[in-house]
Amino acid sequence: MYVWQQAEGQRHARAAVHFGSLDAGATFAALCGSEPTVGENDIHSPGKPWLDPTCPSCDTAFRRALGIPEPRPDTGPSRKALSKAAFSKVQG
Ligand SMILES: [Zn+2]
C-alpha cells in the first residue's frame, strides 16, 4: 500500500510505512527513486490542502503498482459512426 506525500515542490508516492504525513525535516523514499525532505509547508491538515503538482514518475510507478491504467488523451467520438455503407451512387 502506498500514500501520497508532498515534499520539495511535488506530491510524491511512498510506501505506507508511516500513515498520515511525516514530520517536517523527515526524508522518505519516494517511488520515483528520490528521497525528498518534508518541509514545514508539506505538513497536511484539513485547512491546508496540498497544492503542489503530482510527481509524474511517482504517478507512473503508483499506477503500475496498483494496476491502474495510464490516463489517455481524449480521442473523441468513434469514426465507426460515420459509416459509408448506406450511401451509394446510381450512375448512367
Ligand atoms: Zn516522485
Side-chain angles (χ1 to χ4, degrees), residues 12 30 32 55 58:
H12 297 276
C32 63
C55 169
C58 275

Side-chain angles (χ1 to χ4, degrees), residues 4-7 11 14 19-24 38-52:
W4 293 99
Q5 174 68 53
Q6 179 173 290
R11 197 173 60 107
R14 62 175 170 83
F19 286 91
S21 57
L22 301 172
D23 292 331
V38 178
E40 289 285 346
N41 289 329
D42 299 324
I43 305 300
H44 187 266
S45 70
K48 191 170 64 179
W50 284 341
L51 299 175
D52 287 347

Side-chain angles (χ1 to χ4, degrees), residues 56 59-64 67-73:
D59 186 52
T60 298
F62 191 92
R63 288 173 186 279
R64 283 198 188 126
I68 301 170
E70 296 285 329
R72 293 181 182 179

